[in-house]
Amino acid sequence: MLRVCTRICTLVVVCVLAPWWSVQSFRTTSFKPVRMRRAGQPPLAASRQREGTVEFDSGDCFYRPHSKIIRDMGVLALRVLPQQRLNGARARNHSGDGGGGAGELDGRGISVLDAMCGSGIRALRYIEEGGARYVVANDADDDTQLANARAANLGKHIVAGSVALQCGDAMDAYFAARLERSYYDMIDADGFGSGMPHSAEAWWALRLGGLLYLCSTDARTAAGKNSAAAAWRGFGAVAQSMPSSNELGVRLLVADAVRQAAARGMEAVPVFGVYHRPSSCARVMMRLVAAGRHSCPSSAEKSMGFAAYCALTGEHWILSLSDIHDPRAAAVCPPAAQHASLEI
């Protein structure tokens, strides 16, 4: 008999039934992030940068020029959001479903929360290129020089009333929006780590139909290089090293966002996912499609599952949540099972 592989090396929580979104991996030939000033060092010389159609001074703020494509995609998503909202409203009116009033176009224009704005480049581009009417640029770093750099970059828009600067924790900004019912049409949560807690709490500050741009810089954990506890804590998943680790890191972030939204009585779907190799960063754009009585958190069961990998055959396959309850379902690699009855 041929030897049959019956060992699964990896089971990772993923979003598996989303054929209309894609995971992309971008490569560049060089990588030179603008350096940051360490504590006790004198301020860096002014560093004038140009990105897209805007110019700004990165100063002492961390700025990675090669992550421009990530910011480009955020701007593009914001630019098409009003038309997508309008199309959605027309479709609901045509079907007779008037639900989801919080997401309807109401003449207020698009509002954005840049939860960790850094130098202010994202906020600046959302205003000047993305068509946002109002942007809140928030950052927890209260360093005077950094705050002054942000204020200088966004100065004319602050004077015009289209940008507001805040200094505080992103969690406070999310819950303040919920308490005041001043929801945002888009939230950019460009943080460090696995994506938590933004993938859980940012939903409270998002208007129905709005976009949540999440970030995970913890590629090692998503690839199973750190402890199992780290993957469980950051993604609610089991992660091990496998050839498609970069893509699965994006899908882990999507899955965590979908699950966290469902736990709060909301329904979210992915718009796109990106793995940016130079920065080892995964970014996903999520859309809040339903909340409250209009939501169907159980729909997450249809889009969530597990990815399995066989180290001997190199085969990848997918197991649904219902399959995982069957101890026999994940035991055999499909190609190995196919040849199990063959004799040499």
Side-chain angles (χ1 to χ4, degrees), residues 217-264:
T217 60
D218 199 357
R220 285 186 56 81
T221 294
K225 300 296 186 180
N226 292 332
S227 68
W232 182 254
R233 182 172 58 248
F235 299 99
V238 177
Q240 295 185 19
S241 181
M242 56 196 302
S244 57
S245 292
N246 291 342
E247 177 180 337
L248 286 177
V250 176
R251 291 180 178 270
L252 283 171
L253 184 55
V254 171
D256 183 55
V258 170
R259 187 169 52 247
Q260 296 290 354
R264 287 153 181 79

Side-chain angles (χ1 to χ4, degrees), residues 34-312:
V34 174
R35 64 191 179 93
M36 296 179 69
R37 174 175 56 88
R38 295 180 179 178
Q41 288 184 335
L44 299 174
S47 178
R48 199 67 183 168
Q49 307 285 340
R50 182 175 181 84
E51 182 172 302
T53 62
V54 304
E55 290 188 359
F56 68 102
D57 183 6
S58 61
D60 293 354
C61 302
F62 179 77
Y63 169 66
R64 195 190 302 271
H66 289 90
S67 296
K68 173 182 177 295
I69 191 169
I70 302 289
R71 293 182 285 272
D72 289 345
M73 296 180 75
V75 170
L76 290 172
L78 187 63
R79 289 186 65 174
V80 300
L81 180 59
Q83 186 60 45
Q84 291 179 335
R85 277 258 180 92
L86 183 60
N87 293 341
R90 288 172 177 170
R92 286 191 294 272
N93 291 335
H94 181 72
S95 64
D97 181 9
E104 300 289 351
L105 293 174
D106 53 13
R108 291 178 296 187
I110 299 296
S111 61
V112 178
L113 170 62
D114 187 357
M116 286 148 283
C117 66
S119 65
I121 175 58
R122 289 185 301 274
L124 188 59
R125 293 192 65 187
Y126 287 144
I127 281 287
E128 297 196 7
E129 300 176 355
R133 177 194 61 84
Y134 183 68
V135 175
V136 174
N138 179 79
D139 201 280
D141 195 333
D142 60 357
D143 181 270
T144 302
Q145 291 176 333
L146 298 182
N148 290 340
R150 286 191 289 269
N153 289 331
L154 298 167
K156 67 177 182 180
H157 298 292
I158 295 173
V159 173
S162 55
V163 171
L165 286 179
Q166 286 186 180
C167 183
D169 189 273
M171 297 300 108
D172 294 336
Y174 300 151
F175 287 111
R178 186 194 184 201
L179 289 173
E180 298 168 5
R181 297 186 179 277
S182 56
Y183 303 109
Y184 296 98
D185 299 283
M186 178 176 172
I187 298 174
D188 191 326
D190 185 23
F192 294 97
S194 66
M196 283 289 288
H198 311 284
S199 58
E201 309 305 347
W203 298 112
W204 297 120
L206 194 63
R207 183 172 286 117
L208 187 61
L211 300 174
L212 175 57
Y213 205 10
L214 291 169
C215 176
S216 170
T217 60
D218 199 357
R220 285 186 56 81
T221 294
K225 300 296 186 180
N226 292 332
S227 68
W232 182 254
R233 182 172 58 248
F235 299 99
V238 177
Q240 295 185 19
S241 181
M242 56 196 302
S244 57
S245 292
N246 291 342
E247 177 180 337
L248 286 177
V250 176
R251 291 180 178 270
L252 283 171
L253 184 55
V254 171
D256 183 55
V258 170
R259 187 169 52 247
Q260 296 290 354
R264 287 153 181 79
M266 305 177 194
E267 185 178 355
V269 297
V271 178
F272 63 79
V274 180
Y275 180 78
H276 188 246
R277 185 176 296 275
S279 59
S280 298
C281 168
R283 296 221 64 177
V284 300
M285 185 71 77
M286 305 294 299
R287 186 190 306 278
L288 180 62
V289 297
R293 64 185 180 89
H294 297 287
S295 68
C296 183
S298 61
S299 66
E301 298 177 8
K302 301 177 182 179
S303 61
M304 302 285 285
F306 294 82
Y309 170 65
C310 175
L312 294 183

Side-chain angles (χ1 to χ4, degrees), residues 1 15 31 102 108 177 200 270:
M1 279 295 197
C15 252
F31 168 47
R108 291 178 296 187

